[in-house]
Amino acid sequence: MIDLLSLNLNELKELFPEPKYLGGQLFTFLHNGCSFDEMTSLKKDLREQLKAEYITNPVTILKKFVGKSGTIKYLFALTDGNLIEGVYMPHDYGNTLCLSTQIGCRMGCSFCASGLDGLLRNLTPGEMLGQVVAVNRDNGGTTKDRAVTNLVLMGSGEPFDNYQNVLKFLDLVSHEKGIGISERNISLSTSGLADKVREFADSGHKVTLSISLHAPFDELRSSIMPVNKKYNIQNIVSASKYYFEKTGRRVIFEYTLIKGTNDSPECAKELASLTRGFPTHVNLIRLNEVKERNHKAPTEDATKEFLKRLEALGVSATIRRSLGNDIEGACGQLRRRYLEEQSK
Ligand code: SAH
Ligand code: SF4
């Protein structure tokens, strides 16, 4: 079945050349989360015909869990029965959706639940957009007053391992005839595929780029992030500088603190020297412990201590609130738990 949400405006117009307005109207209706029945400006027989051949959104909400702070964790089902997850975080300044770009991940980071079973498959642009559409509809309806104002591509998957689809998704979700989220309000997190970071810098897209650094020494980084054997720290830092030069956007370095692994004063010192010389910010994250992995989180005090060291070295840094901890917030954990329960 054709995934209509994966098609851009021109492709929709080509697929539905008559009547002339149809492609454009469908684009807006689909991005607003309307069912075919709700597309009342289309003739009834046309709606029936569309219903017989197409689906409006390849993503449906299977389960949702509401956390203490209003955070909602979604478990989504795809048309082939696969499951993915997303987290919706309402704030005063706007509402952020954290979404997935792949089912699983093949990067194999030693602290992460998403990569435990490797990569199942890439998500289509429509399956990424469908997560935004489903959450907008669930939190507001089908009007233009959309719930989701900010996006972070930090759910399961490595966005740059699904490069073309992610780029098409960015074009779709920022389109003015659709959801129209400005790229200023979109963050993309990558484990550091340096070639793709450079290609992305040249692509004209201007999202906030987050680099998952997590260790300032190559040997240590390779031991927790195997991708470092291919793209080492120096390569990633120079690609990040290139991204800043091309886009003017400050690069964020993510640093998940793992007790006894990357939380030493030497690590703070080296991290400070790596991020010096161009506009950056360090986001410290306390490890969200994954039961299948044996890494431990440092205490809150040790986390604050690491932050203080960085600040004393002149680094702009903050501790990121661990989001949705009470509802299996760490990427990949909810889906695993659900699959485990189903197989019992
Ligand atoms: N694959 C991309 C984006 C998804 S992961 C990437 O790695 O950047 C989003 C962020 O969550 C990354 O910085 C990742 O390293 C971090 N992360 C993964 N598992 C985690 C865990 N158990 N605790 C804390 N952060 C984690
Ligand atoms: Fe993949 Fe990111 Fe998890 Fe690493 S941290 S396994 S790159 S999703």
Side-chain angles (χ1 to χ4, degrees):
M1 202 175 273
I2 294 180
D3 175 5
L4 291 180
L5 270 187
S6 279
L7 304 184
N8 62 29
L9 191 53
N10 284 339
E11 290 165 336
L12 266 182
K13 284 180 175 168
E14 267 168 37
L15 184 64
F16 301 105
E18 294 295 332
K20 258 203 147 22
Y21 60 84
L22 182 56
Q25 285 205 353
L26 271 175
F27 188 85
T28 303
F29 277 138
L30 291 165
H31 289 222
N32 277 344
C34 297
S35 66
F36 289 120
D37 284 331
E38 286 163 338
M39 301 181 187
T40 47
S41 64
L42 306 183
K43 291 205 181 80
K44 187 145 197 293
D45 55 342
L46 175 60
R47 279 187 266 142
E48 291 304 323
Q49 205 182 320
L50 289 169
K51 229 175 7 184
E53 282 181 58
Y54 303 101
I55 46 162
T56 49
N57 188 348
V59 178
T60 49
I61 297 170
L62 184 66
K63 274 181 180 283
K64 66 190 247 194
F65 304 85
V66 182
K68 285 178 210 130
S69 53
T71 299
I72 307 175
K73 183 101 194 194
Y74 287 96
L75 192 63
F76 301 113
L78 305 177
T79 49
D80 62 358
N82 269 307
L83 304 179
I84 48 170
E85 55 193 276
V87 189
Y88 175 70
M89 298 160 275
H91 300 292
D92 298 342
Y93 58 83
N95 307 319
T96 303
L97 176 67
C98 171
L99 56 92
S100 300
T101 57
Q102 297 182 309
I103 306 170
C105 181
R106 64 189 178 115
M107 299 299 143
C109 302
S110 69
F111 45 83
C112 174
S114 292
L116 281 166
D117 297 324
L119 175 68
L120 262 71
R121 70 168 172 86
N122 282 329
L123 294 185
T124 65
E127 287 169 333
M128 291 177 241
L129 186 64
Q131 298 169 62
V132 187
V133 169
V135 172
N136 270 340
R137 182 167 178 136
D138 193 47
N139 291 281
T142 58
T143 63
K144 283 211 122 201
D145 195 16
R146 301 183 186 93
V148 178
T149 57
N150 298 61
L151 293 176
V152 292
L153 277 61
M154 292 190 186
S156 83
E158 166 48 53
F160 285 164
D161 192 34
N162 186 13
Y163 188 76
Q164 292 305 339
N165 285 351
V166 166
L167 257 67
K168 191 170 186 189
F169 161 69
L170 292 175
D171 288 334
L172 290 170
V173 80
S174 57
H175 198 288
E176 54 176 11
K177 284 198 184 316
I179 297 171
I181 297 182
S182 151
E183 290 206 342
R184 296 206 145 266
N185 296 334
I186 302 178
S187 291
L188 182 151
S189 173
T190 175
S191 57
L193 310 190
D195 298 347
K196 287 286 185 275
V197 170
R198 290 194 179 86
E199 201 178 326
F200 191 57
D202 290 332
S203 74
H205 288 277
K206 283 191 165 43
V207 308
T208 303
L209 186 69
S210 294
I211 304 279
S212 295
L213 198 61
H214 305 325
F217 301 108
D218 274 320
E219 202 179 324
L220 178 60
R221 191 166 188 271
S222 296
S223 74
I224 55 173
M225 299 182 71
V227 64
N228 193 65
K229 292 175 196 145
K230 187 152 184 211
Y231 303 102
N232 67 16
I233 295 174
Q234 202 203 339
N235 195 350
I236 296 163
V237 171
S238 90
S240 306
K241 280 187 184 148
Y242 185 71
Y243 189 78
F244 168 71
E245 282 157 18
K246 280 278 173 164
T247 64
R249 308 297 316 268
R250 176 175 80 155
V251 174
I252 311 288
F253 287 100
E254 286 162 282
Y255 197 94
T256 293
L257 284 163
I258 307 171
K259 189 179 173 180
T261 299
N262 61 0
D263 57 351
S264 66
E266 293 73 39
C267 284
K269 204 167 151 212
E270 188 62 17
L271 179 59
S273 87
L274 283 174
T275 56
R276 209 165 275 147
F278 68 116
T280 58
H281 181 80
V282 173
N283 239 334
L284 294 176
I285 311 160
R286 258 183 86 216
L287 177 77
N288 210 319
E289 289 176 10
V290 174
K291 86 167 175 0
E292 293 83 353
R293 309 289 204 186
N294 51 20
H295 294 303
K296 294 277 170 253
T299 61
E300 289 208 14
D301 283 348
T303 307
K304 283 185 195 146
E305 180 62 33
F306 196 86
L307 173 69
K308 276 197 197 129
R309 281 184 198 281
L310 287 180
E311 285 173 339
L313 292 160
V315 178
S316 154
T318 38
I319 298 173
R320 194 171 77 190
R321 207 160 50 90
S322 187
L323 293 158
N325 246 343
D326 54 328
I327 45 170
E328 308 276 10
C331 72
Q333 294 197 67
L334 178 69
R335 171 176 168 272
R336 282 194 79 76
R337 209 68 70 232
Y338 181 81
L339 291 173
E340 274 171 16
E341 277 161 24
Q342 295 301 301
S343 63
K344 266 179 200 158

